Amino acid sequence: MLNFTVGPVMSDENVRAIGAEQVPYFRTPEFSEIMIENEALMKKFAKAGDDARVVFITGSGTASMEATVMNVFDQNDKVLVVNGGSFGHRFVELCEIHDIPYEEIKLNVGKALKKEQLDVYSGKGFTGFLVNVHETSTGVYYNIDMISEFCKKNGIFLVVDAISSFLADDFNMKELGAQVMITGAQKALACPPGISVIVLSHEAVERIEGHSVKCMYFDLKSALKNGERGQTPFTPAVGILRQINARLKAIDTAGGVETETRKIAELAQDFREKIKGLPFEIVSESMSNAVTPLHPLNVSAYDVFMKLKEEYGIWVCPNGGELKDSVFRVGHIGALTKDDNTTLVNAFKDLQIRGLL
Ligand SMILES: *Cc1c(COP(=O)(O)O)cnc(C)c1O
């Protein structure tokens, strides 16, 4: 299997070997140590600062999106949501479900957020901002510096879903003044799905302490309290947390977050070079290093996905809904190499010879 989807992605041998081990009991000093190390490395890689905290939620990325919305906002807030695709729409739905007053900035497929669009909302009393810095569904990467500046100017609490962008694109939580950053195990962390991660600034922790949440599992106060001793309120996905630990330590040893991001950036660049001349159009105004969204000019995108899967054993990421036949995405995260890019590009060339691209 050669997997170019955007998650779950391929894990390296080290991470997979841990997956084959027995899962240990976790109310132990040994597991606490792993969790404390996980928290420290997440803070380091997110550049969150010493006073930040990290919560590990057993659940996919959406669980952490929901926990965040529930714990940091309430009916007295007024939240601005960037909705440029299915993940932006998810934040809108979460505000609806949890009765958080909001307005959305709706963007057309493939379009970046522009300063003029944002400036309209300046001085309008917004208290919160929700954005998926990389809208993975369309492959659009937003200008986070511009968003950060807008939030700083207006004193707005900034929440960044960086689930598919963390490790793939530069991110400096402290400098950006982002109060919350969310990521997940199955994207560039390249572990199995089942854990998502919420990095919280000191201000975010204070906000959580001041809110009461009508939910047991997603009450972050209790997660923060337990986290002080390297524990979680309930049984977490122990095995995945051990895999995350190995992965974070490997990144640290290899040179840290900058080295990892450069590796992903180089893979993306290599792929984008190699597809030049093939009948594709790149459909995003502004891309993350994590993903290249492609529109095949002559055939259905879904048919290309199916042919690659069935006849070449290669997985790219199909799109759903309206984009099903026009766009598929190629990921550059996970245990992939430039040779793997060549294998995929050769499959494209073969499809072209067969008149299927
Ligand atoms: C993958 C992803 C999520 C999380 O989706 P889950 O299926 O719940 O893990 C959320 N936001 C973005 C931008 C993503 O790429």
Side-chain angles (χ1 to χ4, degrees):
M1 179 199 211
L2 186 52
N3 179 358
F4 288 90
T5 67
V6 299
V9 300
M10 295 199 294
S11 301
D12 64 31
E13 240 170 83
N14 209 3
V15 166
R16 281 185 290 143
I18 295 167
E21 290 173 14
Q22 297 283 9
V23 177
Y25 179 66
F26 69 105
R27 299 289 187 205
T28 61
E30 290 80 7
F31 187 68
S32 292
E33 205 175 297
I34 284 175
M35 290 303 283
I36 285 166
E37 199 168 35
N38 282 349
E39 174 160 16
L41 287 170
M42 278 304 305
K43 277 162 64 169
K44 182 176 176 183
F45 294 168
K47 300 189 163 71
D50 286 340
D51 57 356
R53 289 293 312 278
V54 183
V55 170
F56 296 85
I57 298 284
T58 292
S60 77
T62 307
S64 281
M65 291 168 75
E66 181 152 33
T68 299
V69 169
M70 289 169 73
N71 280 266
V72 305
F73 297 129
D74 63 21
Q75 283 85 336
N76 300 316
D77 281 294
K78 186 173 158 194
V79 177
L80 194 53
V81 188
V82 181
N83 179 1
S86 57
F87 293 109
H89 180 67
R90 196 164 298 179
F91 269 141
V92 169
E93 286 184 296
L94 286 168
C95 288
E96 284 282 345
I97 290 167
H98 297 288
D99 294 323
I100 313 294
Y102 72 92
E103 278 186 42
E104 60 181 309
I105 307 178
K106 230 171 165 320
L107 299 172
N108 290 328
V109 172
K111 296 295 175 201
L113 177 66
K114 308 276 178 347
K115 189 164 182 305
E116 310 84 77
Q117 289 168 295
L118 207 48
D119 283 345
V120 179
Y121 296 91
S122 228
K124 296 272 163 67
F126 285 95
T127 59
F129 197 102
L130 285 168
V131 65
N132 322 88
V133 63
H134 175 219
E135 175 50 78
T136 324
S137 67
T138 58
V140 175
Y141 178 66
Y142 301 125
N143 183 340
I144 191 67
D145 294 321
M146 178 185 80
I147 291 170
S148 151
E149 205 175 299
F150 170 83
C151 288
K152 281 179 181 169
K153 193 174 82 183
N154 286 282
I156 295 175
F157 187 95
L158 173 59
V159 173
V160 181
D161 162 2
I163 296 181
S164 64
S165 174
F166 178 67
L167 299 177
D169 306 299
D170 290 334
F171 189 81
N172 189 320
M173 187 164 163
K174 192 101 186 171
E175 258 178 45
L176 292 168
Q179 310 293 355
V180 181
M181 193 225 46
I182 306 166
T183 192
Q186 82 273 28
K187 304 284 168 82
L189 270 172
C191 286
I195 289 285
S196 50
V197 188
I198 312 176
V199 184
L200 301 157
S201 72
H202 180 65
E203 201 180 325
V205 171
E206 280 183 348
R207 229 178 216 250
I208 290 164
E209 302 295 348
H211 279 174
S212 65
V213 170
K214 278 206 176 354
C215 182
M216 182 190 272
Y217 202 77
F218 286 151
D219 186 351
L220 296 185
K221 278 193 286 298
S222 133
L224 284 164
K225 184 86 196 111
N226 279 270
E228 286 171 12
R229 56 186 176 102
Q231 286 289 323
T232 52
F234 317 106
T235 310
V238 175
I240 300 167
L241 287 162
R242 292 177 72 231
Q243 289 172 302
I244 288 175
N245 185 251
R247 172 80 169 123
L248 290 173
K249 285 201 293 198
I251 292 169
D252 201 37
T253 309
V257 63
E258 283 82 8
T259 307
E260 183 64 20
T261 301
R262 198 177 327 120
K263 206 178 97 190
I264 296 170
E266 280 171 11
L267 263 184
Q269 206 177 2
D270 174 72
F271 176 75
R272 290 165 193 170
E273 279 299 319
K274 284 176 179 159
I275 57 162
K276 280 187 180 153
L278 287 169
F280 292 123
E281 184 191 342
I282 289 180
V283 287
S284 165
E285 272 187 353
S286 161
M287 280 185 287
S288 158
N289 293 318
V291 172
T292 305
L294 293 174
H295 166 57
L297 297 174
N298 310 319
V299 295
S300 150
Y302 196 80
D303 288 350
V304 175
F305 156 71
M306 284 298 283
K307 282 268 177 306
L308 287 173
K309 175 164 87 73
E310 301 297 328
E311 294 173 26
Y312 299 83
I314 300 175
W315 294 67
V316 294
C317 206
N319 270 59
E322 279 172 24
L323 298 177
K324 183 179 170 197
D325 284 310
S326 59
V327 179
F328 68 85
R329 293 158 296 162
V330 175
H332 311 298
I333 52 182
L336 288 166
T337 63
K338 290 182 183 172
D339 285 345
D340 294 330
N341 281 345
T342 302
T343 304
L344 174 57
V345 170
N346 285 342
F348 286 146
K349 287 180 179 162
D350 195 55
L351 282 175
Q352 197 179 23
I353 289 166
R354 296 168 61 200
L356 298 168
L357 187 72

